[in-house]
Amino acid sequence: MKRFWRNSDRMKITRAVVPSLFTTLNAFCGFMAMMHASQGQIELGAWFIILAAVFDSLDGIMARITRSSSQFGVELDSLADVVSFGAAPSLLVYQAHLSTLNNLGILISAMPLVFGAIRLARFNVQLSGFDKDRFYGLPIPFQALTLCAFLLQYYTEGGGLQGMSKDALAPLVAGLSLLMVSRVQYETLPRFTPRDLRAHPWRSIAFSAAAATIIISEGRYLLGVLLTFISFGVVRWAYQAFRGFVRHLQKVDDEEEESEPSSIDI
């Protein structure tokens, strides 16, 4: 007994516990979202996913403040994200409307979970450090927040989805899921440090304007802000792909002109 108490006295709570606590709350909110979604409480389930996103952002902030980033924290965060932003949205959209599409609805509903897990696995494999300015593919929390904002705006308890919103849910789920595993680039959220403000001033301004818009509108423009962010990444990717294609054609034309025999050679 004395040896046991001596060892217990040496146990210390490290700084890494602080961000891990927020990550655990993230996973718990994901479970609560699934529980309410299974009971048909779609709006309450969507709010728990949004709350999970808040805790997901706070764990990264606390990790930087306490300087306690670790591989354990990265893996735990990914597992929590699969629950809150993969499994929970999949069950939410299935219960909201996609269950009426039978087997096709099951396949589409599973896409946030399946592609979200692939997105997180790819991110962890490519992760060479804990600070990145941009990454490939739509972040899984943004996919989940967009679906929640859509349901909160168009879903009504007892009435469900009506009109065009009912037909738009399946394409929205499929499109967001495919964007997660795409090569479209998205920038990370600003950290509002002096170094980050000097390096990326417009990113901080855009984020502040978006946050102010959501707060002033009391959340009514949340869906619009998220769709704007997502569309900007797609448009920028399409523009860069088009410029690359044009440059490739110009390079081919230049090589063909150089290979043509001149009058002197003839």
Side-chain angles (χ1 to χ4, degrees):
M1 292 294 294
K2 290 183 179 180
R3 182 178 298 178
F4 172 79
W5 287 111
R6 287 175 183 175
N7 292 336
S8 64
D9 292 339
R10 296 175 184 175
M11 294 178 61
K12 296 181 180 179
I13 299 177
T14 62
R15 293 178 297 177
V17 173
V18 179
S20 296
L21 175 62
F22 287 97
T23 306
T24 305
L25 291 173
N26 169 12
F28 175 75
C29 289
F31 169 76
M32 293 296 294
M34 288 189 291
M35 185 183 70
H36 287 292
S38 65
Q39 297 173 355
Q41 299 173 336
I42 303 302
E43 293 183 359
L44 193 55
W47 279 115
F48 268 106
I49 293 177
I50 293 176
L51 185 59
V54 174
F55 287 125
D56 182 57
S57 62
L58 288 176
D59 69 0
I61 294 174
M62 296 307 300
R64 287 191 292 270
I65 292 176
T66 59
R67 297 180 180 178
S68 57
S69 298
S70 64
Q71 188 62 33
F72 172 81
V74 172
E75 299 298 334
L76 180 62
D77 183 70
S78 295
L79 292 173
D81 287 353
V82 169
V83 174
S84 299
F85 310 128
S90 289
L91 181 58
L92 196 69
V93 296
Y94 180 78
Q95 290 290 95
H97 173 66
L98 297 184
S99 59
T100 62
L101 302 180
N102 301 322
N103 292 335
L104 179 61
I106 295 175
L107 292 176
I108 297 176
S109 298
M111 291 180 70
L113 172 60
V114 174
F115 287 100
I118 295 173
R119 164 71 171 78
L120 290 169
R122 185 181 70 179
F123 175 79
N124 289 347
V125 169
Q126 296 175 346
L127 188 65
S128 58
F130 296 102
D131 294 327
K132 285 184 174 293
D133 290 330
R134 62 188 60 183
F135 33 71
Y136 290 101
L138 179 67
I140 186 173
F142 278 92
Q143 169 268 151
L145 286 174
T146 304
L147 292 177
C148 290
F150 179 85
L151 292 174
L152 288 173
Q153 184 162 336
Y154 294 108
Y155 186 90
T156 57
E157 297 292 346
L161 295 173
Q162 303 294 330
M164 294 183 61
S165 62
K166 181 171 59 177
D167 299 327
L169 181 59
L172 179 65
V173 173
L176 293 174
S177 300
L178 292 174
L179 277 176
M180 285 193 291
V181 294
S182 68
R183 299 294 294 175
V184 178
Q185 285 189 356
Y186 289 96
E187 297 183 357
T188 59
L189 295 178
R191 301 181 181 88
F192 293 104
T193 61
R195 178 180 178 181
D196 187 71
L197 290 173
R198 289 192 300 269
H200 309 284
W202 288 108
R203 184 170 64 181
S204 301
I205 294 173
F207 177 82
S208 300
T213 301
I214 295 172
I215 294 173
I216 293 174
S217 66
E218 298 180 352
R220 290 190 299 272
Y221 293 154
L222 175 60
L223 179 61
V225 169
L226 291 172
L227 290 177
T228 300
F229 169 78
I230 295 170
S231 300
F232 177 76
V234 174
V235 171
R236 181 176 59 183
W237 171 82
Y239 174 71
Q240 292 175 347
F242 177 75
R243 287 188 59 186
F245 178 71
V246 172
R247 290 176 179 175
H248 175 71
L249 292 179
Q250 292 176 347
K251 183 178 180 180
V252 170
D253 291 340
D254 293 340
E255 291 177 353
E256 290 179 352
E257 290 178 359
E258 292 177 358
S259 62
E260 291 179 357
S262 62
S263 58
I264 299 178
D265 295 333
I266 297 175

